[in-house]
Amino acid sequence: MSTLANAPDASRSGAARASLLARWRSLLPVGVVLLLIVVFGLTSDAFLTPRNFTAIAGQASTLLIACLGASFIVVMGSIDLSIGAVVLLTGAASVLTLNAVPIGAGAVLVGFGLGGILGLVNGLVFAFGRIPSFVVTLGTMSIFSGLALRLLDGRAIAYDSAAFETLAIGQWIPRLPNIALIALVLWAVLVVVAMQTRFGRYVFTIGAGESVARIAGVPVRRYKIYAFILSGALAGIAGSLAAARLSAAGPTLGSDLLLNSLGAIVIGGTSLAGGIGGVQRTLIGVLIIALLDNGLNLNGIDQYTQMGIKGVVIIAAVLVSQPLASIRSVK
Amino acid sequence: MTLDVFKTAQTTPSALAGGVFGVPENSAPAIEVLGLTHDFGPTRVLDSISFAVPRGTIAGIVGENGAGKSTLFNILSGLLQPARGSLRLREKDYAPRSYRHALEQGVSRVFQEQALIPALPVYENLLLGHERAFERGGFRRHGAMIATARRIVDAAELDVDVTGETGSYDFSVRQSLEIARACLFPSLVLGISDPVVLLDEPTAALAREEEAAFFRLVRRLRHHATILFVSHRLTEVLAISDSIHVLKDGRLVASRLPAEVDEDQLHRLMVGRARGVDYYSQQQGPIPVDASGVSSRPVLAAEGLSLAGAFEDISFSVQPGEIVGIGGLLNSGKTRLGRAVAGLVTPASGTIRIDGDPVASIRPESMVALGVGYVPAERLTEGVIPALSIAWNVGLASGDRLTTRAGFWRKQAESSLATRAIQDLRIRADGPARAVETLSGGNQQKVVIARWAARQPKLLVLDNPTRGVDAGAREEIYAILRRLAAAGVAILVITDDLAELIGLSDRIFILRDRRQVAALDAAAETKPTEEALVALMLGSQASSLSASQRVS
C-alpha cells in the first residue's frame, strides 16, 4: 500500500528535479551576461560607461534583427546560412535604390521586401526540392553574395539621406540609438508571434516532431516556406539598417554574421536539432556576443584572438545545452 | 477445439524438459536457454523460456507477432539483458553485454534489414569491422582480405566475385553473402569453432525460386554453424529445421521435431489462445449499425488502389459506425494501405472517396480537412511529441478551430479541449500541461486518439492501436473505439493482433502478398477463428482446414 502511494510522488519529484535542472540551464545565459559585465567592468575603465552601452546597443542591433527570423528557422530544425549574404545584398540594394530614387527612410522597405523575396527563394527550393536547408542556404549564400558584390562592383557605396541615417543612428529615446529601439520592438513582436500565434506554434511543432505534425495535418511544407520568408525579410531589414548606420554599403557588410548569428542563437539556448528554445532566448545570445566583442576590444585583445575566444564560447554553449537535448530524445 | 489447443500447450513443457530430443547423444548443445524471463514495463514478453539447440543443427522458431521471438533474439545477440534466467554457449555460461560482445564469442545475427554497404566491394563487406586483422604497419593488405573473403564465398559455394561491387548483386545474393559471413567468419577468421547464427525472417523478402537457393545454402552451412531462425513461413520451417520451437504470448508452448508435426498443427500451436482473455471482447459484440447507417453511402470507399511494391488493386469501403479490420502478415501491404488512406503515401492508381466524393489531392492535410484521422503504429516518433504537453499534442490537429481570425493560438480553448479529453478518455494525468513523455504507453495512445476525437472525425484509421499497451489500457481503448463507432465514426483498424482483429471488427479484410485475398463477415455470431485467418494470411493449403473448423 505504502509503495503504491509513494510511486507517483517519487516520479513527480523526479520530474520536478528534471524541470528544475532545465530551468537552471535556461537561466545560465543570463548568468554569463552578468559574469561578462563584472569581468569587463573590472578589467576596463571604459566598459561600464553610458557611452559604451550606447555603442554596444548600436553594434548588437544589426545582429539581433538578423537573428530574429533565423531563430524561427533553427527552432524548426533547419538552418539558414544565407543571413549574412542577404544582409549584404539588401544593404547594397537599399543604398543603390536610395541613390537612384530619393525615398529617404523608405529605403528600409526595399530591404524588407527584397529580403522576403530572397527568403522565399530559399524556402521554395528547400520545401519543394527536398534538399537539406544547410545545402540550399549554402548555395544561396554564395549566389546572393556574388550578386551583391557585382552590384557594388567590389566598392563601398555611400548614400546621402538624413532621414535614412536618422532611422539608424538617431536617438528618439536619449542614449538609445534608433536601430536598437527598432531591434527591441521587432524582438518583442516576434516573441509574441512565436509564443501566441498559430505560425509560432506550427514552426515549433515541426522542429519538435515533423512527422507527428505532418500526420496531424499541419501543412508542413507551407510553414517551412513562411519561416524562410520571415528569416529573409528580417535579414533584409537588418541589411538596410546596417547600411544606414555605417553611412554606406560595402563589400564586408554582414561578413561576420554567419558565425555571429548562429552563435547567438545557439548560445541563447535554442537547439540546432529544433524544438527547443526560440526567439525569446536569442536576445541574451546576441547580448553575450556583443558584450564579448566590445569587452575584448576595450581590453586591447586583437581581432584574431577574439575569433578564437568566440569559437570556444559557442562550443561551450552547445556542450552545456546538450544534456537537455539528450534527455528529451531518450525519454 | 480451443480446449485441445490449450491441452497441447500445457503438456509440452514436460516433453521438452530434456531439451535435446531425438538428436544423437554425441551432439552436445551449442546453445542452451534456461528459464529466460523478460518484462517490458508491466508486460511480460518472455516467460521462463527453456530450450537447447544441439551443435550443427537448425532450430526454427515460430510464433505470431509479439510472441517474443525478437526479444529472444535480442537477448541471444546481447542487445538486451534478460530480467531472469541464463544462457549457456558451448556448455559454458554466456552473458553477452553487447552485440559486439556476443559477436566476439561467435554468436552473430543476420537482421531483416541488410547490413551490407552497397558501394563497397564484396570482400570489404565480408570482413567489415575486422579490417584491423588485415593491417600491417597501418596499411591494409587487400590481397589477404580478398583471399579470406574467397574462402568464405567458396565454402558457401556462392558464385560471387569478391572484388565486385556489393551493390551490383541483387537482393537475394546479398542476403546469401550476409548469411555466409555470419556462419563462416567466426571459424575462418576468429578461430571460433561451432559459431551460433541467428537469422531473422531471412526469406521474408525472397521470391519462391530464391528460397530454394536459400535452403540449399543453409543446409551447406549447417556443417559450419548452429543456426536459429525465425520465420513466418511454416512450410520452410518444416522443410529446413531439425527442431521447431513455438512461442506464444512469451511462452514456449511446444518444441517439436519436424517429422512429428504438420503445418496445421503448427498454426494451431501458434495462435490457439484461450478464449475469454480479458481484452477479447467478442461477447460484447460490435455496435450494430442502425438501419439508416447500412443504407447510407460509405464514409470511405477505396477503388482499385495500387502502389508498386506496396499493395495492388485494393477495393473496400467503410460505413459510418462500422469497424473494419485489415489483417495480414508483416509485408502484406496493410500498413502502407492505411498510410495511403491517411494521405501519407500516394497510390499510383485508384480512387479514394470520402462521403462519395473522390479525393483529388491525397495529402495528409487534405485528408485531415476531409475528416480523416490517422493513429500511426509508431507512437513515439509519429504519434506524439513526447517532450510537449498533453494540450499541445491534443490540439495539434485542430489548428482550424484553435486559431483566432487574426492568427492567434487560443491556448485557453486548447487547454479546455485537453481537459475534456483527459476526462472523457480517462487519461491518467494530473492536467493538460503534463508532458506526454511522463505518461504510460496506453495513456499516450489515448492522447493520439483524443487528438482526432476532438475533431469529431468521419473516419479514423488506426495501425496497431494497442501495440505496447498493457491489458487494462487496451480494454479502455477498445471501449473508446466502440463509443466512437456508436457515434457514427467509421473506423478502419489495421492490426497484427488476431484477437483484436476478430474481437473488434464488424468486417475483416485479409491481405496477402500485397493483394486482397478475403473479405469476411465478423459480426458477433459469425466470428472467424484465428486459425482460419492465419491460414488466409499464409495462403497455405490449410484453408481447407479452416473451412471445416468454421463449421465445427
Side-chain angles (χ1 to χ4, degrees):
Chain A
M1 181 60 223
S2 68
T3 50
L4 271 178
N6 282 341
D9 278 342
S11 75
R12 191 164 303 168
S13 78
R17 208 177 310 125
S19 83
L20 203 71
L21 201 69
R23 198 167 308 157
W24 182 81
R25 277 219 174 82
S26 68
L27 282 179
L28 194 66
V30 180
V32 173
V33 169
L34 295 177
L35 181 77
L36 286 177
I37 291 176
V38 170
V39 169
F40 290 137
L42 291 175
T43 53
S44 163
D45 293 337
F47 184 75
L48 280 178
T49 57
R51 203 185 140 89
N52 189 44
F53 280 116
T54 304
I56 293 174
Q59 289 156 6
S61 298
T62 310
L63 177 60
L64 179 58
I65 300 171
C67 283
L68 292 177
S71 297
F72 282 80
I73 302 293
V74 172
V75 90
M76 193 169 74
S78 304
I79 201 163
D80 189 348
L81 300 177
S82 70
I83 294 289
V86 172
V87 164
L88 176 60
L89 181 52
T90 53
S94 300
V95 169
L96 290 172
T97 312
L98 187 61
N99 288 347
V101 196
I103 46 173
V108 74
L109 295 178
V110 173
F112 174 74
L114 178 62
I117 292 168
L118 299 178
L120 176 67
V121 171
N122 277 334
L124 287 175
V125 178
F126 170 52
F128 284 94
R130 292 168 199 254
I131 303 169
S133 56
F134 183 93
V135 177
V136 174
T137 55
L138 189 67
T140 53
M141 173 174 81
S142 186
I143 297 169
F144 299 161
S145 304
L147 271 175
L149 293 173
R150 281 228 68 115
L151 280 179
L152 293 172
D153 218 2
R155 290 174 292 123
I157 296 177
Y159 67 88
D160 183 21
S161 160
F164 192 45
E165 190 172 37
T166 306
L167 199 58
I169 60 174
Q171 295 184 1
W172 295 321
I173 297 175
R175 298 215 177 278
L176 186 67
N178 288 343
I179 187 173
L181 180 66
I182 293 169
L184 287 173
V185 169
L186 286 174
W187 174 74
V189 168
L190 285 167
V191 169
V192 172
V193 168
M195 315 271 258
Q196 303 292 341
T197 68
R198 165 152 79 179
F199 171 77
R201 196 146 255 252
Y202 280 0
V203 164
F204 192 95
T205 307
I206 292 168
E210 182 170 339
S211 40
V212 178
R214 202 162 78 90
I215 289 173
V218 172
V220 170
R221 195 186 273 175
R222 187 143 50 89
Y223 277 84
K224 281 180 171 172
I225 295 171
Y226 290 164
F228 270 96
I229 294 174
L230 181 73
S231 179
L234 280 152
I237 296 176
S240 282
L241 292 181
R245 195 173 82 90
L246 302 170
S247 335
T252 59
L253 188 70
S255 59
D256 56 352
L257 276 176
L258 179 61
L259 175 68
N260 283 353
S261 67
L262 287 172
I265 292 167
V266 168
I267 290 171
T270 300
S271 163
L272 280 175
I276 296 176
V279 68
Q280 67 279 9
R281 297 200 189 161
T282 299
L283 180 64
I284 291 283
V286 168
L287 212 52
I288 290 174
I289 294 268
L291 286 175
L292 261 182
D293 277 348
N294 177 273
L296 293 173
N297 264 334
L298 290 181
N299 279 293
I301 289 165
D302 69 281
Q303 198 88 46
Y304 309 126
T305 313
Q306 280 187 35
M307 283 170 71
I309 291 173
K310 226 188 288 175
V312 170
V313 170
I314 291 171
I315 292 171
V318 176
L319 276 179
V320 170
S321 68
Q322 202 136 49
L324 194 66
S326 53
I327 283 170
R328 189 182 141 244
S329 61
V330 164
K331 267 194 176 172
Chain B
M1 195 249 107
T2 35
L3 258 179
D4 181 37
V5 167
F6 215 51
K7 213 180 287 166
T8 342
Q10 302 225 311
T11 50
T12 37
S14 61
L16 76 276
V20 189
F21 42 92
V23 174
E25 296 284 318
N26 56 4
S27 52
I31 196 146
E32 292 164 272
V33 175
L34 304 164
L36 219 52
T37 297
H38 197 73
D39 301 304
F40 287 139
T43 319
R44 176 144 295 181
V45 287
L46 283 186
D47 195 351
S48 1
I49 303 260
S50 298
F51 66 92
V53 182
R55 286 187 194 188
T57 67
I58 301 175
I61 297 178
V62 298
E64 289 183 84
N65 291 321
K69 306 180 301 265
S70 299
T71 312
L72 175 65
F73 267 26
N74 284 342
I75 290 172
L76 287 172
S77 57
L79 294 172
L80 197 67
Q81 277 68 50
R84 260 183 289 132
S86 59
L87 302 170
R88 285 173 70 77
L89 178 68
R90 294 186 285 272
E91 294 164 285
K92 291 201 192 78
D93 284 339
Y94 168 63
R97 292 182 301 270
S98 64
Y99 184 63
R100 178 130 206 130
H101 191 212
L103 217 52
E104 283 164 4
Q105 298 175 67
V107 177
S108 50
R109 179 170 175 185
V110 177
F111 291 88
Q112 285 181 29
E113 305 289 325
Q114 287 200 337
L116 299 179
I117 302 166
L120 290 184
V122 171
Y123 73 89
E124 288 199 27
N125 266 313
L126 287 177
L127 307 174
L128 208 62
H130 296 272
E131 295 87 348
R132 201 173 287 175
F134 299 93
E135 275 173 12
R136 185 180 289 161
F139 288 96
R140 205 174 276 183
R141 295 180 301 136
H142 286 271
M145 288 177 78
I146 290 168
T148 307
R150 279 219 177 97
R151 280 167 62 203
I152 293 178
V153 168
D154 290 346
E157 297 174 36
L158 295 174
D159 182 22
V160 170
D161 172 14
V162 295
T163 58
E165 193 184 295
T166 310
S168 67
Y169 290 99
D170 65 22
F171 184 90
S172 60
V173 176
R174 296 204 303 270
Q175 188 170 42
S176 302
L177 284 171
E178 265 198 274
I179 294 169
R181 173 175 71 174
C183 294
L184 296 164
F185 188 85
S187 49
L188 288 180
V189 181
L190 301 178
I192 298 173
S193 56
D194 292 314
V196 173
V197 176
L198 311 173
L199 303 179
D200 213 340
E201 289 275 356
T203 57
L206 295 185
R208 294 281 164 192
E209 59 272 24
E210 294 166 344
E211 240 180 82
F214 165 77
F215 285 162
R216 287 197 296 277
L217 172 70
V218 172
R219 286 211 191 86
R220 281 199 294 277
L221 292 173
R222 175 157 48 171
H223 305 301
H224 302 274
T226 305
I227 298 172
L228 275 71
F229 86 109
V230 158
S231 179
H232 275 101
R233 292 190 180 172
L234 298 184
T235 29
E236 75 183 36
V237 173
L238 282 164
I240 197 177
S241 307
D242 297 309
S243 62
I244 300 172
H245 305 273
V246 184
L247 293 186
K248 181 164 75 69
D249 297 338
R251 291 168 190 271
L252 182 73
V253 295
S255 291
R256 293 279 191 272
L257 295 176
E260 297 174 351
V261 284
D262 59 21
E263 214 172 310
D264 304 339
Q265 284 169 315
L266 280 181
H267 282 165
R268 242 181 286 175
L269 288 166
M270 277 166 64
V271 304
R273 176 178 281 124
R275 291 290 152 84
V277 171
D278 45 5
Y279 57 81
Y280 189 91
S281 30
Q282 192 181 24
Q283 69 282 4
Q284 197 177 329
I287 301 289
V289 180
D290 59 61
S292 63
V294 174
S295 61
S296 75
R297 60 182 176 184
V299 174
L300 168 70
E303 294 162 6
L305 295 184
S306 294
L307 180 62
F311 44 80
E312 282 165 47
D313 195 25
I314 308 281
S315 299
F316 65 95
S317 66
V318 190
Q319 307 284 338
E322 188 184 32
I323 302 180
V324 170
I326 298 186
L329 298 183
L330 269 187
N331 294 318
S332 59
K334 60 185 192 307
T335 289
R336 296 244 250 159
L337 182 63
R339 292 181 86 84
V341 173
L344 293 164
V345 295
T346 311
S349 63
T351 313
I352 293 177
R353 289 177 189 273
I354 299 292
D355 276 346
D357 301 322
V359 180
S361 97
I362 298 177
R363 287 186 305 150
E365 56 261 42
S366 48
M367 297 311 287
V368 169
L370 287 168
V372 179
Y374 179 63
V375 178
E378 299 296 329
R379 184 165 56 241
L380 289 172
T381 54
E382 297 194 330
V384 293
I385 303 179
L388 301 183
S389 68
I390 295 174
W392 193 304
N393 275 286
V394 168
L396 198 51
S398 299
D400 44 356
R401 272 160 238 203
L402 293 176
T403 316
T404 64
R405 200 169 291 174
F408 285 92
W409 193 260
R410 298 166 59 206
K411 285 188 187 172
Q412 286 297 322
E414 180 186 69
S415 178
S416 55
L417 199 69
T419 306
R420 217 175 317 131
I422 289 171
Q423 287 164 1
D424 287 355
L425 307 192
R426 293 204 276 153
I427 297 168
R428 310 271 183 290
D430 52 11
R434 165 70 70 190
V436 167
E437 66 195 358
T438 64
L439 305 181
S440 72
N443 284 306
Q444 290 178 349
Q445 192 69 310
K446 287 190 220 164
V447 168
V448 186
I449 296 172
R451 175 186 304 153
W452 301 115
R455 289 183 58 81
Q456 281 128 15
K458 287 183 194 145
L459 170 70
L460 197 54
V461 182
L462 305 102
D463 192 340
N464 280 297
T466 61
R467 183 184 285 171
V469 166
D470 62 272
R474 202 179 260 253
E475 250 186 293
E476 288 181 353
I477 288 173
Y478 293 152
I480 292 165
L481 294 181
R482 286 182 192 288
R483 226 166 63 214
L484 287 169
V489 179
I491 294 180
L492 185 65
V493 179
I494 293 144
T495 179
D496 292 319
D497 184 324
L498 284 175
E500 178 170 295
L501 182 65
I502 297 169
L504 209 50
S505 311
D506 300 325
R507 275 190 300 138
I508 296 173
F509 288 91
I510 301 294
L511 300 190
R512 186 205 318 145
D513 291 340
R514 306 187 285 278
R515 288 177 181 281
Q516 198 169 345
V517 294
L520 301 147
D521 183 22
E525 60 281 4
T526 56
K527 292 283 184 194
T529 63
E530 296 187 348
E531 291 84 347
L533 294 185
V534 171
L536 287 166
M537 292 174 186
L538 291 161
S540 63
Q541 60 279 55
S543 43
S544 55
L545 164 99
S546 69
S548 64
Q549 269 177 353
R550 282 178 70 186
V551 174
S552 70

